[in-house]
Amino acid sequence: MNNTESGGLPSHIAFIMDGNGRWAKKRGLPRNAGHKKGGDTFREIARHAKDCGIKYVTFFAFSTENWKRPKEEVDALMKLFSEYLDEAENYAKDKTRLIFLGDKSIFPREMSAKMVDLEKKSKQFSDFTLSLAVNYGGKDDILQAARRAANLCRDRDLTPQDIDERFFSGLLYTSALPDVDLLIRPGGERRLSNFLLWQCAYAELYFSDILWPDFGKKGLETAIEYYKGRNRRFGNVQGAAI
Ligand code: IPE
Ligand code: IPE
Ligand code: MG
């Protein structure tokens, strides 16, 4: 249910983890060193969000457009992701539900099987859900959902009129998640870069010039404070009951 009262915590925070390369460059380090440090920040922020009582966090780790980068950088990012998949086996003890958003079919079989397995094993946990978007694109998400809807109309007892907002949301990669309440983009850019286009329809947007590897607990807390001050109207007028 939408809430127009200001002051509450966001239920779902999404992060565009941007600025790793520039963080490294500023220090005379290779870009991949920035990605490694960015990985540390990702772990720190996920833990802190959980401690703050946030129920859903989603991180943009690799976009459908990021394949354009030099092979050496893509390989390094995939290696970091693969290491994370191994480490994530331990998340069961943290009672964290893990979800991987994006087209998994592009990854080596062993990796995609690990993702599916982690999702299955952690499905029972409902207090805290961590989603990682890899090979994710907002347009790709909407297209794959549209294709599935078209197939359902062709093969099953579904008519185009049955496809309402709720039904369509259930076909997106994010079917298990509520819409985004707060989108956080550090790194200085003020754009969505093809992230969660449908799901951010009514998100509050928070941009920061801090580069992702430096976006620590304080960065998250400042963004949450900003969110608490927003008045979310969802098209209604202020003060009206929904
Ligand atoms: C974000 O940092 C990480 C990914 C996109 C994988 P960047 O690598 O985009 O860092 P900048 O924007 O070049 O500094
Ligand atoms: C967005 O960052 C993608 C991720 C953080 C994974 P980019 O660095 O790829 O975005 P652009 O190219 O500046 O739009
Ligand atoms: Mg970038």
Side-chain angles (χ1 to χ4, degrees), residues 9-10 13 52 54 182 219-229:
L9 273 181
I13 304 183
C52 289
I54 307 300
L182 172 62
L220 175 62
E221 285 164 13
T222 308
I224 292 175
E225 280 313 305
Y226 165 82
Y227 176 86
K228 285 182 177 170

Side-chain angles (χ1 to χ4, degrees), residues 18-19 22 69 185:
D18 193 28
R22 279 164 287 158
R69 295 189 178 202
R185 180 167 193 159

